[in-house]
Amino acid sequence: MERIETGRGTLLRTPPGPWLPAVVQSVVFTWWRHRWAASLRAKFGDVVSVQIYPWRKVILLYDPKHIAAMFAAPPAKFSAGEGNRVMAPVMGHKSVFMVDGDEHKRLRKLMAPLFGRNAVRGYQDMVRELTRAEVDRWPVATPFESHDRMRELTLDIMSRVTFGIADGPRFDRMRELLGRLLDMDLIVLMGLNVPGAHRVGPWRAAVRLVEQIDTLVYKVIADRRTDPELAERTDVLSRLLVAGGGPDGLSDLEIRDQLITLLIAGHETTATGLAWALHELARDKQVAAEAAKAAVLDDTAYLEAVVKESLRMHPVIFEVTWTLTEDVELEGFRLPEGSTVMPMIGIVQNDPANFPEPHRFRPERFLEGPIPPGHWAPFGGGARRCVGANFALMEATEVLRVLLAKRAIVTDRRAPEAASSKHVAFAPAKGALISAPPLVEVGGDGR
């Protein structure tokens, strides 16, 4: 890549990109980035510069080698909190998603053991129990939107994981408020980063909604502090409170931010991933039959491959956002300090150069050997990989294990559903409409 000669020496070129006004780029990126990103790559290559609110200077990455190098870089070279700040008014400025440096290390140290592989296995029975109850409520012959049902289920699951209980008037009210929060329009969510907007229209209502949720959460925290069985409880809230007795303990504000982050990120993303999986299974009888067989035979590997393939074809989060803390040279380009770097996961995971026949739903590709670094990253990577990734994979796998052993998944709509931007996630535009008639035979354990 050529360099620009000036009287002060040789300068690296900045990455190419569109010349549209920043406001136009922001609008297009917000609602149609899954389409726009592909056209940008075709026109400008694997490193593209755009201007997007609220990050301003954004560098889009499409090459798996660049993405793998980014994830492997020392944490000091990047900050993720700045890139995630669009969610800060809701998740909180002390969320593990928002903080960096030593503060992030401290939170990861406290949170990671709660979601290690051994820890998440302790939640399997609970996930199966709640899934059985959910599936028993499904209609027998009437089509329904699976995304709605998965949102209800995963909210119940995450409420149990986070608080240990999910029953009673207080938690019914919390579920109602969280449902309204998750239905918030993306423009409203982004506007919460503008203090002046808090006094008007939908932004004022959104601020009030967050305040109502906070009131409930702080009441639960206060009550749990006085629970005589606190030390024996295994839910996230209780374990964070117990950890609060040590030198790395958390304040009520920090605990609140982690709980809300888990409820939002752990609930909506898994629900959407499951809805996409059911959408694909309903449209492919052969894969659905293999998955149903795996459910009855307890073939965890195949069921997990179904989840991973769904996340490959339909990544719930289309991109990762990290901000550079120093200038970086990449492929002859200068990426300046303060730029937000976005690996375009949704494009990379559907690139035929990375995954042959990318538009074919084929779980077997995740059973045929390791996936190269940078090719599959629905949970991000490196020091900022999602702390709940192990739990999310276990949860989705167990949900499929139960429901596919009890119900067939079919649809009369053969065309794939489009992806629609919901908050920062991409969900099935029509809710992943399916029918789920009971199977003639169910596994011996009644699942």
Side-chain angles (χ1 to χ4, degrees):
M1 191 66 61
E2 66 180 14
R3 298 168 182 247
I4 301 173
E5 296 292 340
T6 72
R8 293 173 295 173
T10 301
L11 299 178
L12 292 168
R13 293 177 55 194
T14 58
W19 289 94
L20 295 169
V23 65
V24 175
Q25 294 190 45
S26 298
V27 170
V28 175
F29 186 85
T30 298
W31 299 111
W32 301 287
R33 62 187 176 278
H34 53 309
R35 299 173 185 170
W36 193 41
S39 65
L40 289 175
R41 184 192 193 188
K43 183 174 183 179
F44 299 109
D46 285 336
V47 185
V48 180
S49 177
V50 294
Q51 297 183 59
I52 305 169
Y53 174 85
W55 303 285
R56 295 180 292 279
K57 189 72 169 180
V58 176
I59 311 298
L60 309 182
L61 302 182
Y62 298 89
D63 189 326
K65 297 192 299 295
H66 299 161
I67 297 172
M70 171 179 156
F71 289 155
K77 290 184 177 293
F78 299 92
S79 67
E82 177 67 16
N84 292 327
R85 67 174 173 150
V86 68
M87 295 296 296
V90 174
M91 290 185 176
H93 293 277
K94 294 295 183 179
S95 164
V96 69
F97 279 17
M98 307 301 160
V99 297
D100 290 294
D102 291 340
E103 196 171 6
H104 179 257
K105 290 180 182 178
R106 170 173 164 262
L107 285 177
R108 290 283 299 201
K109 182 179 179 180
L110 288 168
M111 299 287 289
L114 308 184
F115 296 101
R117 293 186 183 277
N118 291 332
V120 302
R121 278 196 285 268
Y123 293 114
Q124 285 179 323
D125 289 343
M126 178 269 292
V127 172
R128 292 171 182 169
E129 175 188 351
L130 292 178
T131 304
R132 281 193 287 270
E134 167 61 34
V135 174
D136 286 343
R137 293 191 290 267
W138 284 7
V140 172
T142 307
F144 60 94
E145 294 186 4
S146 63
H147 190 215
D148 284 346
R149 301 316 314 155
M150 291 298 97
R151 290 180 74 191
E152 289 288 333
L153 173 59
T154 58
L155 182 55
D156 276 348
I157 291 171
M158 286 311 301
S159 295
R160 302 252 182 182
V161 170
T162 304
F163 295 108
I165 53 176
D167 302 311
R170 180 181 292 171
F171 287 94
D172 289 342
R173 176 62 172 163
M174 188 177 297
R175 277 196 293 269
E176 175 196 347
L177 294 175
L178 284 170
R180 288 165 53 190
L181 182 68
L182 291 166
D183 286 334
M184 187 184 297
D185 188 273
L186 186 57
I187 295 298
V188 176
L189 178 63
M190 295 176 70
L192 289 177
N193 287 275
V194 182
H198 292 185
R199 298 188 295 272
V200 297
W203 295 279
R204 182 179 180 180
V207 170
R208 176 58 181 155
L209 177 60
V210 174
E211 290 173 347
Q212 290 175 305
I213 293 172
D214 286 354
T215 297
L216 288 174
V217 171
Y218 282 123
K219 285 181 180 178
V220 175
I221 293 174
D223 289 349
R224 189 61 53 82
R225 284 191 182 277
T226 62
D227 188 335
E229 298 180 352
L230 175 63
E232 286 72 46
R233 299 183 66 102
T234 58
D235 55 90
V236 171
L237 168 58
S238 298
R239 294 182 67 179
L240 289 178
L241 286 172
V242 170
D248 292 326
L250 303 178
S251 66
D252 281 6
L253 173 62
E254 289 175 313
I255 291 175
R256 174 267 177 212
D257 288 357
Q258 310 324 311
L259 298 180
I260 294 298
T261 296
L262 290 173
L263 283 169
I264 293 175
H267 150 54
E268 182 69 15
T269 54
T270 304
T272 304
L274 278 165
W276 280 120
L278 294 177
H279 172 65
E280 293 297 337
L281 290 171
R283 296 174 53 248
D284 193 317
K285 292 182 179 180
Q286 182 177 350
V287 178
E290 287 297 319
K293 178 180 177 182
V296 173
L297 297 178
D298 284 333
D299 185 351
T300 300
Y302 189 83
L303 293 174
E304 186 173 292
V306 170
V307 174
K308 290 180 176 179
E309 176 70 343
S310 173
L311 293 174
R312 181 199 65 79
M313 285 186 68
H314 307 284
V316 178
I317 305 299
F318 202 79
E319 71 286 322
V320 179
T321 54
W322 287 13
T323 300
L324 298 175
T325 58
E326 59 184 58
D327 289 358
V328 172
E329 179 181 346
L330 179 67
E331 296 289 334
F333 294 121
R334 174 181 173 270
L335 312 186
E337 175 187 353
S339 298
T340 295
V341 181
M342 288 189 179
M344 302 309 290
I345 295 170
I347 301 298
V348 172
Q349 293 182 174
N350 283 276
D351 187 338
N354 304 325
F355 292 96
E357 297 182 281
H359 300 302
R360 179 184 171 197
F361 190 68
R362 196 174 72 83
E364 288 78 8
R365 72 176 85 237
F366 285 91
L367 301 173
E368 295 168 348
I371 303 298
H375 286 65
W376 185 81
F379 300 107
R384 304 300 301 220
R385 186 174 187 267
C386 175
V387 71
N390 290 329
F391 182 85
L393 282 174
M394 179 280 292
E395 178 187 8
T397 299
E398 294 306 320
V399 168
L400 290 181
R401 188 193 309 275
V402 172
L403 71 87
L404 292 176
K406 294 175 72 71
R407 299 289 191 107
I409 306 299
V410 297
T411 184
D412 59 0
R413 298 186 177 185
R414 306 309 302 168
E417 286 193 21
S420 176
S421 179
K422 307 285 187 181
H423 311 295
V424 295
F426 279 87
K430 298 181 180 179
L433 193 72
I434 64 170
S435 296
L439 294 176
V440 176
E441 295 183 3
V442 179
D445 61 357
R447 293 184 300 191

